[in-house]
Amino acid sequence: MSKRTLILVLLCAILALPTLAQGRKNVRINEVMVQQDSTGGNGWVEFYNSSYSSTAVEQMFITTLSREEIQSVFDKNKGNKKKPKQILVELCEAQPMDIYEIPRGDERHTKIAPRTHFVMEADGDPKSGTFHMPFVFTLGKDNYIALYDVNGDLVDDVTVPATLKPGETYAIKAEGRLPSILDDGQTEWTVKDGKAIETAITKGNYNVREVNENIEAFHVKDPHGFWIAILAMSVVFSALALLYICFKLFGKFASRNLQSEEKTQAAALEAAKAAAVPATGDLDGEKMAAICFALYQHLNAHDNESGVLTLAPRDNSTWANKAGLMREIPVIKK
C-alpha cells in the first residue's frame, strides 16, 4: 500500500470518529426522584437516549460531584499525562460514594435502544446490579447529578431543588424541548406529584410528546414538501458525488502504485538481462550449440553408397517359413 492510500484511509477513519461518539453525547437526564414517600424509599434517575441510534452507556460515569470539583481533579493531573478515563477511574477508587462507573459486561441492558430510557437506582448499593448507584439523595437540600463520558466530557447535569417533596419528581416537561443539547437554555423542567395525568410520574417510561414542534414548524415553512424533496435529493446526489470522487482518487492511487511496481519489475528484468550478456568476443549458448551440432553432422556423415540392395535369405524369417503362415488346425481329443 502506498503512502497516499494509507493517508487517505487514515483521513477517512479520523473523519468517522465524531460520528461514532455522537450517540453517547445524546444521553440526557430526563426525570429525578429524591425520595419515594414520606416514610422513605430510595430515589432514582431516569436517563433518555435522544438519538436515533442505539447507544452503549457502559463505562460512562455518574457523579454527585460538582463541575468545579471534577475540573479541579483534571487540573491536578495535567502534568502526569493521564487520560481522562484513568483520572475518573482513580477518582472512583478514591471516592466510591460520590462517583460511579457503569460497568462493562452487561451489554444486553447497557445498550440503550434509540429514543428510549434507562433508570438508575440511587440506593447506595452498587452490588445489587449494574443500575444501582453507590450514593443516595438527601431530602431538603439541592441534589446535583451529572453524567460524564469516558473521555471526560460532561454529557449532562441537573440540580434538583431542595423544595422537592417526597413522592415528587423533577422532570422535563412533556410538551417542552427534548433534552438533546447540553446547556442550550431551552429545556424546561417541572415538578410532578402524580396526582393528575399531566403530572403523572413515569418511571421507566419517557414522556412522549404527541406533537413535535420541529416538524410542525417545518410544515408551516414548507407545506407542499418542495424544499424537503430538494434537500433529500441534494443529500443523495452529494453522497454519490462524494463516493465517485473517493473511488476516482482511489483508482488513480492504485493505478500509480501498479505502474510504479511494473516499472520496478521492468528495471529489474533489464538489469538481469544485462548481467546475462556474455563478454565481448564470446558467443552465447544457443550459437555455440548450433555450431557444435553442425560439426557433428558434418564429421559423422555416411560414405557414398552404390545404390544396390543386397537381399540375403534367412531360414528363421517369418516370410521364408510358409508353415508359419498357415492357420493351425485344432486337435480334437477323443
Side-chain angles (χ1 to χ4, degrees):
M1 182 182 293
S2 64
K3 292 183 179 179
R4 293 184 178 179
T5 306
L6 182 60
I7 293 173
L8 180 62
V9 172
L10 291 177
L11 182 60
C12 294
I14 292 172
L15 293 176
L17 287 178
T19 59
L20 297 177
Q22 190 62 32
R24 297 169 71 98
K25 303 296 183 183
N26 290 329
V27 178
R28 291 290 176 261
I29 300 172
N30 176 55
E31 190 171 4
V32 183
M33 174 174 279
V34 174
Q35 186 172 307
Q36 293 184 11
D37 51 46
S38 58
T39 61
N42 297 315
W44 44 264
V45 182
E46 182 184 83
F47 295 88
Y48 178 68
N49 176 21
S50 62
S51 68
Y52 289 91
S53 61
S54 298
T55 302
V57 297
E58 57 185 18
Q59 292 187 299
M60 297 186 78
F61 295 86
I62 305 173
T63 181
T64 56
L65 299 174
S66 64
R67 294 189 183 186
E68 292 75 15
E69 291 175 301
I70 296 294
Q71 188 60 43
S72 65
V73 175
F74 285 143
D75 294 339
K76 291 178 181 178
N77 290 273
K78 279 186 177 180
N80 53 23
K81 298 182 180 180
K82 289 183 180 180
K83 294 183 179 180
K85 178 186 176 182
Q86 185 179 356
I87 297 173
L88 292 174
V89 170
E90 292 178 355
L91 187 60
C92 288
E93 297 174 353
Q95 299 177 246
M97 302 303 296
D98 299 321
I99 184 169
Y100 174 68
E101 179 186 7
I102 301 177
R104 299 184 63 181
D106 192 10
E107 297 180 359
R108 185 179 63 177
H109 299 101
T110 56
K111 188 174 182 179
I112 311 303
R115 314 293 288 181
T116 188
H117 62 272
F118 66 100
V119 177
M120 301 292 297
E121 301 287 344
D123 54 4
D125 187 16
K127 295 181 181 179
S128 297
T130 303
F131 296 96
H132 293 262
M133 298 180 292
F135 40 77
V136 295
F137 297 130
T138 304
L139 189 66
K141 63 172 291 186
D142 291 344
N143 290 274
Y144 175 81
I145 186 77
L147 178 67
Y148 282 84
D149 200 358
V150 67
N151 58 0
D153 291 339
L154 177 63
V155 177
D156 196 15
D157 64 344
V158 66
T159 300
V160 182
T163 56
L164 194 69
K165 299 177 182 179
E168 295 180 342
T169 63
Y170 192 61
I172 294 175
K173 286 186 177 181
E175 68 277 5
R177 181 181 174 88
L178 285 175
S180 58
I181 303 175
L182 180 63
D183 293 335
D184 60 357
Q186 301 183 33
T187 302
E188 298 183 16
W189 292 79
T190 186
V191 176
K192 293 185 176 183
D193 55 10
K195 296 180 181 180
I197 296 177
E198 293 79 9
T199 60
I201 297 174
T202 56
K203 176 185 178 182
N205 185 15
Y206 178 71
N207 303 315
V208 181
R209 299 173 302 167
E210 295 181 358
V211 178
N212 190 318
E213 69 278 2
N214 295 328
I215 296 178
E216 293 299 322
F218 199 89
H219 178 70
V220 173
K221 295 179 181 179
D222 185 23
H224 301 289
F226 293 135
W227 287 110
I228 190 65
I230 294 173
L231 179 62
M233 296 301 293
S234 300
V235 171
V236 172
F237 283 106
S238 298
L240 292 175
L242 183 61
L243 287 174
Y244 172 78
I245 294 172
C246 291
F247 286 131
K248 197 73 174 178
L249 292 175
F250 184 78
K252 287 184 177 180
F253 291 148
S255 178
R256 289 181 181 178
N257 190 19
L258 182 61
Q259 290 177 359
S260 63
E261 290 181 358
E262 290 178 351
K263 289 181 179 179
T264 303
Q265 293 178 358
L269 184 60
E270 291 295 333
K273 289 182 177 180
V277 173
T280 306
D282 295 337
L283 297 176
D284 57 10
E286 294 181 355
K287 294 180 180 179
M288 293 177 66
I291 294 173
C292 292
F293 185 71
L295 290 174
Y296 175 79
Q297 287 185 329
H298 176 72
L299 296 175
N300 292 277
H302 292 285
D303 297 335
N304 294 329
E305 299 292 342
S306 60
V308 178
L309 296 177
T310 303
L311 300 177
R314 295 181 180 178
D315 296 336
N316 58 351
S317 173
T318 304
W319 294 100
N321 187 6
K322 300 300 183 182
L325 300 177
M326 302 300 292
R327 185 176 66 176
E328 183 176 350
I329 299 175
V331 179
I332 300 175
K333 295 182 180 180
K334 294 181 180 181

